[in-house]
């Protein structure tokens, strides 16, 4: 199976990245999904969306060390798993799952490209614009991935990436914050660059 990598960040947080090379039939035959979840996946009109969702569950099954996964969704369409905090991410040909047993977790995986350099003002606040190198696509993808991961981990509604999600420190030693009064939560950030991808996990 094409598990690209699995990492245990600490005793309670882990993530898995899956490179998608299989067919839908492979996933449906190798995973034991809850009936409602299988129905939800099969209802997706685009084949690529079905594959991405199945690969996310395969990555989760790897973390749980079982072929049986029971994923549901909250009212705001966030994936849920009883007894854990869960986050999914996917992009072309890759899927990822992050799992925590004690606190909210978020994950984002994106292909690294030049387009991000034109978008920094849409998701970075004034202090962040002064802190990070706006001409460095690696740093900009890290910042975007960090805010995406924070968004997924947030227990409250995020309406503004610029102000509600904050980064402090620098690229080499960075932390994240969800700042939507009265909610104020700090997160550790972990990032990796591999195979032309930026992966960011917040926990």
């Amino acid at each position: 199976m094409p598990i690209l990598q699995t990492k245990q960040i600490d005793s309670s947080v882990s993530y898995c990245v899956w490179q998608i090379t299989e067919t839908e039939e492979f996933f449906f035959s190798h995973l034991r999904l809850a009936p409602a979840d299988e129905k939800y996946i099969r209802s997706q009109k685009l084949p690529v969306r079905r594959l991405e969702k199945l690969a996310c569950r395969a990555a989760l099954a790897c973390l749980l060390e079982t072929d049986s996964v029971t994923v549901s969704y909250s009212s705001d369409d966030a994936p849920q798993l009883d007894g854990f905090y869960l986050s999914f991410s996917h992009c072309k040909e890759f899927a990822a799952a992050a799992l925590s047993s004690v606190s909210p977790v978020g994950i984002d995986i994106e292909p690294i490209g030049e387009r991000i350099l034109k978008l920094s003002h849409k998701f970075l606040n004034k202090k962040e614009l002064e802190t990070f190198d706006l001409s460095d696509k690696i740093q900009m993808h890290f910042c975007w991935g960090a805010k995406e991961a924070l968004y997924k981990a947030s227990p409250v509604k995020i309406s503004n990436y610029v102000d509600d999600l904050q980064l402090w420190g620098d690229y080499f030693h960075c932390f994240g914050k969800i700042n939507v009064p009265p909610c104020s939560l700090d997160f550790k950030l972990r990032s990796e660059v591999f195979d032309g991808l930026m992966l960011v996990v917040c926990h």
Side-chain angles (χ1 to χ4, degrees):
M1 292 183 293
I3 300 168
L4 199 59
Q5 63 169 291
T6 301
K7 293 287 180 70
Q8 190 77 35
I9 296 178
D10 59 27
S11 60
S12 63
V13 181
S14 58
Y15 69 87
C16 177
V17 180
W18 189 287
Q19 185 172 10
I20 307 171
T21 61
E22 303 84 356
T23 63
E24 290 180 44
E25 290 72 20
F26 169 88
F27 288 120
F28 280 125
S29 64
H30 284 76
L31 292 171
R32 288 188 293 151
L33 304 174
D37 193 34
E38 181 172 343
K39 181 179 179 181
Y40 164 71
I41 294 172
R42 290 187 184 278
S43 72
Q44 304 298 306
K45 294 182 178 180
L46 295 178
V48 66
R49 291 290 173 262
R50 295 195 296 270
L51 272 175
E52 288 168 346
K53 291 183 182 298
L54 286 164
C56 283
R57 284 149 180 79
L60 173 60
C62 176
L63 295 176
L64 295 171
E65 299 182 342
T66 178
D67 61 358
S68 178
V69 292
T70 304
V71 175
S72 60
Y73 283 85
S74 67
S75 58
D76 57 356
D77 208 31
Q80 297 177 314
L81 180 68
D82 286 348
F84 293 92
Y85 294 91
L86 171 65
S87 181
F88 287 147
S89 183
H90 49 74
C91 60
K92 186 179 181 181
E93 298 179 4
F94 296 92
L99 199 62
S100 173
S101 60
V102 298
S103 60
V105 64
I107 190 168
D108 185 67
I109 186 168
E110 300 274 352
I112 296 170
E114 300 290 339
R115 182 172 177 269
I116 194 72
L117 299 177
K118 301 177 181 179
L119 304 175
S120 57
H121 289 77
K122 294 184 179 295
F123 60 89
L124 296 181
N125 61 41
K126 182 179 179 180
K127 184 175 181 180
E128 292 161 352
L129 289 169
E130 294 171 350
T131 299
F132 296 95
D133 184 349
L134 307 184
S135 65
D136 186 333
K137 63 183 180 183
I138 300 296
Q139 290 197 30
M140 290 301 97
H141 269 287
F142 164 75
C143 291
W144 172 252
K147 294 211 170 185
E148 278 281 284
L150 288 167
Y151 176 87
K152 294 176 183 179
S154 178
V156 296
K157 181 177 176 60
I158 302 299
S159 58
N160 186 331
Y161 270 39
V162 174
D163 299 314
D164 294 352
L165 306 174
Q166 300 173 1
L167 306 177
W168 52 280
D170 57 31
Y171 173 65
F172 301 100
H173 193 64
C174 190
F175 297 88
K177 177 185 284 291
I178 294 171
N179 187 34
V180 183
C183 177
S184 180
L185 295 174
D186 291 336
F187 288 81
K188 295 178 181 178
L189 294 170
R190 176 190 179 99
S191 66
E192 290 193 48
V193 176
F194 56 91
D195 288 7
L197 302 169
M198 170 64 73
L199 179 139
V200 185
V201 180
C202 73
H203 63 100

